[in-house]
Amino acid sequence: MSKPALPSLHQALKKSFHSLENNQRIWKSVLVECGPLMVSLENLAEQSRALSNVQISNTPLRDFPELEERLRFKLLKSTDTVLFKLNEKMSSLQSVRDSICNQVSAVFQLYEQNSDSVDLLTLTERSAATPSVSDMLEWLQDAERHYRQQFVRRKTLLQTLRADDLSALEAAPKRWKSIECPSAEDQITDTLCKVSFFIDS
Amino acid sequence: MEGQSSDITANSANRKSSAVTGSARKIKDNAADWHNLMMRWEKLNDEGFSEATNIVNIRLSRSTGDQMLQVDGSPSSSSSSSAASSSQQTGGAAELQDKCSKLKDIVDRMVAVVTKMERLMTSQRGIQELEEFQFGPEGRKFPLFHTWNTKQFEDSSRVLLDSYRQELRLKQTILQEVAHTATSDLCMVYLSCWLHQPYVPTETRLTLEALLLETGHRPL
């Protein structure tokens, strides 16, 4: 009974790891694009703060009508544009997360449908080139959890940012960086290495 | 942007083929000139911003150097180090002077752009006066292009010219002051004024696009 279920499970696992590999690449590239945007948020916040610290009426710029209001408006507008771009990046990250979640839950569904017919021995059996099904399911679940957590944390950070909340904007790049979890990211890369023979077979 | 600007300069070829003549011809050419001048302004603005940033960086690093010198103690106590730092300062001063003259060149070119804009305005007013002479105070019955009457072209030209005139004044003030400012906040305000152009609101771009659309430079 266990024989016909195993190849289809293997097939589904291969597909999931392929998709994980692609999605990891997309995720990384989106994060790289977010870096400069975060820095420009900080930069704009610094400019706004400098503007608040300066009493325009005591400077050579005093003769310019509405200068402070106009400049502040432009700064807010630029900040809004950057925040908008970041939100666009978030939707790319969201689609990566969704794609991974869908893949993983499809594999688990398939496993549960066949769980009666696949015995424990088959599930835990592994060879030099093929890790056991139970290990691979676990790795997939770990990866899925990582991306889900990462996405929620980043999304939450972005939602706390307002164009007029300067200290939050100034702290944004640091907080954005602190969300990074290189060990989990490395774990996923490790996993992909472990299954590389399996997914190419 | 580059593609767009070349789009319109390439219009000299279209000029012969299109049948537009007289006031309409003049207005259409003026619209293209507005576009090209505004593009040139943007380019100068970018160049000027990097020069102004250089000036501020030199200026701020020198002022922290001065402070360090004061913290060190009296300059007479260690003559060799003060001599070294003063030679460094004159080096910095020459560099500062160099950057300032580069920024001045850029502002001079901006002045030239605004002068050309003023000429466009004069030409637009001339067209308006000619029309009043030809058709009386109500102007012509049928619009030259799609819907605008001649007065509207003059109005939009004035909106554009006023923005750039005021922005130019701001740039000239920044040019005079930026190298003499030691407080980092004020330097930052100068730079952000230069970059964000508070007197050139986003609507100017819209006004220009409307002008280009009406005169047929942009397809409807």
Side-chain angles (χ1 to χ4, degrees), chain A residues 47 50 53 60 64-65 70 74, chain B residues 166 173 185 192 196 198-200:
Chain A
Q47 293 179 48
N53 289 344
F64 289 92
R70 281 168 176 269
K74 285 251 176 172
Chain B
Q166 184 70 331
T173 310
D185 280 337
S192 91
H196 294 286
Y199 290 107
V200 182

Side-chain angles (χ1 to χ4, degrees), chain A residues 78-167:
Chain A
S78 307
T79 310
D80 269 342
T81 313
V82 178
L83 284 174
F84 180 77
K85 283 186 190 156
L86 277 167
N87 275 316
E88 280 181 340
K89 301 286 172 210
M90 284 316 290
S91 27
S92 317
L93 291 184
Q94 182 165 12
S95 60
V96 169
R97 182 205 63 174
D98 289 347
S99 148
I100 292 173
C101 286
N102 288 341
Q103 281 291 336
V104 174
S105 70
V107 175
F108 268 82
Q109 208 176 1
L110 187 70
Y111 161 69
E112 271 155 27
Q113 279 163 1
N114 296 295
S115 58
D116 295 338
S117 60
V118 187
D119 58 51
L120 202 60
L121 197 66
T122 326
L123 277 181
T124 49
E125 189 183 17
R126 62 176 181 191
S127 68
T130 311
S132 71
V133 171
S134 62
D135 274 345
M136 290 195 280
L137 287 173
E138 187 190 333
W139 296 336
L140 279 180
Q141 225 166 18
D142 287 345
E144 185 210 1
R145 189 178 50 243
H146 167 66
Y147 286 114
R148 242 179 342 172
Q149 282 180 348
Q150 280 285 307
F151 176 75
V152 172
R153 285 184 190 153
R154 293 189 188 277
K155 179 99 184 167
T156 315
L157 169 57
L158 263 192
Q159 278 173 341
T160 59
L161 298 180
R162 300 262 173 288
D164 53 358
D165 185 354
L166 297 185
S167 41

Side-chain angles (χ1 to χ4, degrees), chain A residues 44 46-47 50-51 53-54 59-61 64-65 67 70-71 74-75 77-78, chain B residues 166 169-170 173 177 185-186 188-190 192-193 196-202:
Chain A
L44 286 163
E46 275 173 18
Q47 293 179 48
L51 181 59
N53 289 344
V54 169
T59 69
L61 297 174
F64 289 92
L67 181 69
R70 281 168 176 269
L71 185 56
K74 285 251 176 172
L75 288 171
K77 202 166 150 44
S78 307
Chain B
Q166 184 70 331
R169 274 193 53 221
L170 181 60
T173 310
E177 300 296 333
D185 280 337
L186 188 54
M188 179 76 105
V189 171
Y190 285 142
S192 91
C193 275
H196 294 286
Q197 315 211 72
Y199 290 107
V200 182
T202 21

Side-chain angles (χ1 to χ4, degrees), chain B residues 77-142:
Chain B
S77 64
S78 53
S79 56
S80 63
S81 78
S82 72
S85 67
S86 73
S87 79
Q88 215 175 34
Q89 274 203 359
T90 49
E95 204 187 344
L96 192 61
Q97 185 61 47
D98 175 52
K99 301 285 178 205
C100 286
S101 53
K102 275 186 184 154
L103 188 62
K104 186 172 182 310
D105 280 349
I106 291 169
V107 173
D108 285 346
R109 274 146 70 198
M110 287 176 142
V111 172
V113 169
V114 173
T115 312
K116 283 181 182 152
M117 287 176 171
E118 276 163 359
R119 244 174 253 155
L120 286 182
M121 186 70 225
T122 315
S123 135
Q124 199 58 52
R125 208 172 294 130
I127 294 169
Q128 176 69 25
E129 278 164 15
L130 176 66
E131 187 169 303
E132 276 165 22
F133 174 72
Q134 285 178 319
F135 297 92
E138 289 92 51
R140 63 179 73 232
K141 278 208 179 70
F142 301 104

Side-chain angles (χ1 to χ4, degrees), chain B residues 37-202:
Chain B
L37 288 173
M38 282 167 70
M39 292 303 114
R40 194 177 305 164
W41 175 280
E42 284 310 312
K43 208 166 146 272
L44 289 171
N45 196 54
D46 289 348
E47 288 171 19
F49 178 68
S50 54
E51 290 305 335
T53 313
N54 287 335
I55 291 173
V56 166
N57 284 339
I58 295 171
R59 185 71 202 131
L60 289 182
S61 67
R62 270 184 60 188
S63 70
T64 51
D66 289 350
Q67 279 161 13
M68 269 157 58
L69 208 68
Q70 285 166 357
V71 172
D72 272 354
S74 59
S76 57
S77 64
S78 53
S79 56
S80 63
S81 78
S82 72
S85 67
S86 73
S87 79
Q88 215 175 34
Q89 274 203 359
T90 49
E95 204 187 344
L96 192 61
Q97 185 61 47
D98 175 52
K99 301 285 178 205
C100 286
S101 53
K102 275 186 184 154
L103 188 62
K104 186 172 182 310
D105 280 349
I106 291 169
V107 173
D108 285 346
R109 274 146 70 198
M110 287 176 142
V111 172
V113 169
V114 173
T115 312
K116 283 181 182 152
M117 287 176 171
E118 276 163 359
R119 244 174 253 155
L120 286 182
M121 186 70 225
T122 315
S123 135
Q124 199 58 52
R125 208 172 294 130
I127 294 169
Q128 176 69 25
E129 278 164 15
L130 176 66
E131 187 169 303
E132 276 165 22
F133 174 72
Q134 285 178 319
F135 297 92
E138 289 92 51
R140 63 179 73 232
K141 278 208 179 70
F142 301 104
L144 282 165
F145 296 95
H146 299 295
T147 55
W148 286 17
N149 59 35
T150 313
K151 184 88 177 61
Q152 277 169 294
F153 289 103
E154 198 190 333
D155 293 344
S156 4
S157 298
R158 192 185 311 281
V159 168
L160 294 176
L161 178 63
D162 288 349
S163 304
Y164 283 95
R165 255 191 194 149
Q166 184 70 331
E167 188 61 37
L168 179 65
R169 274 193 53 221
L170 181 60
K171 300 276 198 254
Q172 285 168 324
T173 310
I174 295 173
L175 169 69
Q176 282 168 15
E177 300 296 333
V178 72
H180 303 289
T181 307
T183 54
S184 62
D185 280 337
L186 188 54
C187 282
M188 179 76 105
V189 171
Y190 285 142
L191 287 183
S192 91
C193 275
W194 188 291
L195 180 66
H196 294 286
Q197 315 211 72
Y199 290 107
V200 182
T202 21

